[in-house]
Amino acid sequence: MSSNEYSIQTRLIHHKHKTDPASGAVSVPIQPASTFHQEDLDQFGEYDYARSGNPTRHALEETFAELENGTDAFAFSSGMAAISTVFMMLSAGDHLVITDDVYGGTFRFTTEVLTRHGIEHTFVDMTKVEEVKRAIKPNTKMIHIETPSNPTMKVTPIRDIVALAKEHGCLTVLDNTFMTPVLQRPLDLDVDIVVHSATKFIGGHSDVVAGLAVVKDPDLAGQIKFLQNSFGAILGPNDCWLIMRGLKTMHARMELSSRAAQNIALWLTEQPEVNKVYYPGLESHSGYDLNKSQADGPGAVLSFELADRAAVKKVVEAVKIPVFAVSLGAVESILSYPAKMSHAAMPPHEREKRGISDGLLRLSVGLEREADLIEDLKQAFKKIDS
Ligand SMILES: *Cc1c(COP(=O)(O)O)cnc(C)c1O
């Protein structure tokens, strides 16, 4: 059954694994078995050992591949497991070009693990095609993109970077965590590999850590399947089930949270306590047009800058609705402080250069009533002057 004629909103619910053919159950069965009985000495069945394949994981992988308009997806025990496994496609002597405001865990893996294995890298401002072009060397094998980026929501011109990569015979990898396939489908723009932290919007409920990688090329699929089985950082069946459940509401969550984020971003631009708002849905944002040309929306994450650390402290301690935590992409709004959380390891001058000042807060908008969130921020901003 191909359900590709339907929009993603419908396909999130109506797909091959909507019901269990054995029982009609309207939920994917959780299969905990680690091994599978073989009937025939010469011909083994589809499954033999659960690291190599598991029916619950397979259901998630098939469903998710289809949502990204790919052919194959692979489920991992975390976003970092997905990303590091994909990086293992590189060999000693290869070179990686990577965005300079990449996720902290990816930064750590690149600078402290890949380097030990003889894999070089160059950090670039991925929004500047000329800079990316200059960074490419004869041994460059991969370009790693994140768009919009964290926390200043810079937008990378996906089509331009893909064209450049093709010219130089290197693979493109895109971390699509902030957008999900509801808002951005990089494989349609000829990106080679999409990676996700499914811990965020895909799971959506702050209760599971998971990762995904998706491709549309059988050769790449074979390479990643081999590495997934070799590394073994697979997602367990219970967590696969949680991700499958999260998918059912993903469109509804993305739509509601994005709409609220848009209105909150606009409201923030009018507040005297706020110096700057970073959100690609604002016409004043440098990536506004570009994001529109390659994604179906600006997403549910925004950042805003207050005067200084003292103002941040007052607001963080006064807000009642958002949780103050690392992470993003959940039913509850999450307020984070990049200078002390995601970018704590970065020297202050490097942070400031990237716009990550001591006054910057990131807000991942959840499903609370938008007016309640605004009221909450309003009362918290009042504390700044008191
Ligand atoms: C959280 C995150 C990751 C890492 O995912 P984990 O599931 O925490 O391992 C990677 N990329 C981005 C953009 C993220 O936000």
Side-chain angles (χ1 to χ4, degrees), residues 129-143:
V129 182
E130 279 307 309
E131 193 175 316
V132 180
K133 197 172 186 169
R134 275 198 301 277
I136 293 177
K137 306 202 241 176
N139 59 339
T140 305
K141 294 286 166 63
M142 189 181 273
I143 302 182

Side-chain angles (χ1 to χ4, degrees), residues 259-311:
R259 197 186 310 153
Q262 178 77 43
N263 292 331
I264 292 169
L266 268 174
W267 177 80
L268 284 168
T269 61
E270 290 157 6
Q271 305 313 304
E273 295 86 357
V274 176
N275 293 341
K276 209 167 159 72
V277 183
Y278 299 93
Y279 181 64
L282 293 176
E283 281 180 52
S284 56
H285 189 279
S286 60
Y288 175 80
D289 288 320
L290 182 57
N291 192 67
K292 253 194 162 159
S293 75
Q294 60 191 26
D296 292 338
V301 183
L302 58 92
S303 296
F304 57 98
E305 190 183 73
L306 303 174
D308 50 24
R309 189 179 188 281

Side-chain angles (χ1 to χ4, degrees), residues 213-232:
V214 199
V215 295
K216 59 172 184 178
D217 173 89
D219 177 52
L220 290 180
Q223 290 182 52
I224 296 177
K225 189 173 178 55
F226 173 82
L227 287 169
Q228 182 194 39
N229 193 36
S230 303
F231 252 37

Side-chain angles (χ1 to χ4, degrees), residues 20 28 35-36 56 61 93 102 105 151 162 165 171 173 210 212 220 243 247 252 271 275 287 318 333:
D20 172 25
V28 69
T35 190
F36 298 81
T56 314
E61 292 175 337
V102 73
V162 165
L171 291 172
V173 180
L212 288 155
L220 290 180
I243 297 294
L247 287 178
Q271 305 313 304
N275 293 341
S333 291

Side-chain angles (χ1 to χ4, degrees), residues 137-158:
K137 306 202 241 176
N139 59 339
T140 305
K141 294 286 166 63
M142 189 181 273
I143 302 182
H144 183 91
I145 307 166
E146 248 181 66
T147 183
S149 72
N150 178 27
T152 56
M153 310 300 289
K154 285 189 337 201
V155 181
T156 289
I158 301 174

Side-chain angles (χ1 to χ4, degrees), residues 78-81 83 103 106 146 175 177-178 197-200 209-210 328:
S78 69
M80 278 322 301
I83 293 165
Y103 175 75
T106 311
E146 248 181 66
D175 185 330
T177 301
F178 273 43
S197 168
T199 313
K200 316 293 167 54
V209 174
L328 57 108

